[in-house]
Amino acid sequence: MSPQSRVVSVVLPADTPLNSNRRADSAPYRRAPRTDAIRSAFRHAAHGMHPLTTPVHVELQLEFGRNARRDAPNWWPTAKAAIDGLVDAALITDDSDKHVTRTVFPAHTTDPALRATKTTGARVRLTITITEDH
């Protein structure tokens, strides 16, 4: 049996993702609501998807509206909240090392459609691909 994959993609307002280098993102009163928003968005996006058998590996791809110098690992707090949402949706059993054997966070990409317009603010897309390891 070949490994199965699932792709979950969510577009978030640009001020929602968490970055480990931003001092404001470490304040609990600012961090908690944004963590909850990310987790909830991914729980809803994965709701009803057929679960995967663990162990799995995870790839997280961030897309921004503008190209700028960024450090992909700094967005780990966003990824953690998103993966927790996938666990909440029962897409995977758990996110411990026993269940998620590898996490890949490649350099960001750019999609001009995510730029701010008169009707929308700037946005960020996080796409998570989860693939069974067997």
Side-chain angles (χ1 to χ4, degrees):
M1 182 182 225
S2 63
Q4 301 238 351
S5 291
R6 303 283 181 274
V7 177
V8 182
S9 188
V10 171
V11 175
L12 301 163
D15 62 351
T16 301
L18 298 161
N19 183 306
S20 59
N21 274 354
R22 285 192 303 225
R23 190 176 303 251
D25 288 353
S26 63
Y29 67 94
R30 289 185 179 173
R31 183 183 188 111
R34 291 164 53 199
T35 299
D36 290 345
I38 296 162
R39 188 173 183 156
S40 177
F42 275 85
R43 180 178 59 247
H44 289 350
H47 180 75
M49 287 186 168
H50 187 53
L52 293 168
T53 304
T54 58
V56 298
H57 60 271
V58 177
E59 181 173 310
L60 303 112
Q61 181 65 61
L62 273 165
E63 292 177 89
F64 295 88
R66 297 189 183 278
N67 196 15
R69 186 173 178 269
R70 294 186 176 92
D71 185 356
N74 286 337
W75 299 95
W76 180 248
T78 298
K80 174 63 176 147
I83 292 170
D84 286 345
L86 300 180
V87 172
D88 293 345
L91 185 59
I92 56 175
T93 309
D94 190 36
D95 62 346
S96 68
D97 290 347
K98 178 181 175 184
H99 299 280
V100 178
T101 59
R102 184 177 59 224
T103 305
V104 179
F105 217 143
H108 80 282
T109 60
T110 304
D111 180 353
L114 297 170
R115 291 181 185 165
T117 67
K118 289 181 181 181
T119 57
T120 66
R123 295 161 293 153
V124 175
R125 180 181 300 116
L126 175 56
T127 302
I128 301 178
T129 304
I130 303 175
T131 305
E132 295 172 340
D133 278 343
H134 20 302

